[in-house]
Amino acid sequence: MMIEDVIKKSILPLAFMLFWFWMVSTIMKVSGQTDLFWWIFLSGLPFGIHKMRLVLIPKGMDITATLGMAALSVIIGALIGSIMIPVYVIRAVYVFLRYIIGK
């Protein structure tokens, strides 16, 4: 495994995650404290939207139903992402350790 692979698969994803978590915790501060539910929800948003294989768009409905289904898709994507965050962290640490031990 080359160092470029380790940087691409381990260091950059972890750096992005740390930056995203810091940014969301800064945004979600209410009177000096971070709301944990919204922090987990918004932290999972970029990691879960692309994992959804289906975005629900109703056919033949009005604009309210379409917006409601889009909001439901975002909520489901954020929940999937909040579950997938530990998987991404474990995978990045595994790649990094495999490179360190294998060398």
Side-chain angles (χ1 to χ4, degrees):
M1 183 179 306
M2 302 290 292
I3 189 69
E4 293 89 14
D5 294 334
V6 173
I7 290 172
K8 250 193 295 188
K9 294 180 181 178
S10 177
I11 296 172
L12 286 178
L14 286 177
F16 173 73
M17 282 185 203
L18 285 175
F19 173 73
W20 182 253
F21 295 160
W22 169 77
M23 188 173 68
V24 169
S25 69
T26 303
I27 291 170
M28 294 310 300
K29 282 209 189 287
V30 176
S31 32
Q33 299 218 341
T34 304
D35 186 10
L36 189 61
F37 172 75
W38 285 107
W39 182 78
I40 291 172
F41 184 78
L42 290 177
S43 294
L45 197 59
F47 304 108
I49 290 292
H50 73 280
K51 285 289 184 189
M52 289 182 57
R53 301 291 187 230
L54 174 68
V55 175
L56 304 171
I57 300 175
K59 182 177 179 182
M61 298 291 226
D62 59 347
I63 191 72
T64 307
T66 304
L67 288 176
M69 293 306 280
L72 181 65
S73 295
V74 168
I75 290 169
I76 291 172
L79 293 175
I80 290 171
S82 64
I83 294 169
M84 291 301 295
I85 288 172
V87 174
Y88 290 138
V89 170
I90 290 169
R91 185 173 59 188
V93 168
Y94 172 74
V95 168
F96 185 73
L97 289 177
R98 200 172 92 196
Y99 177 74
I100 296 297
I101 293 171
K103 204 165 189 183

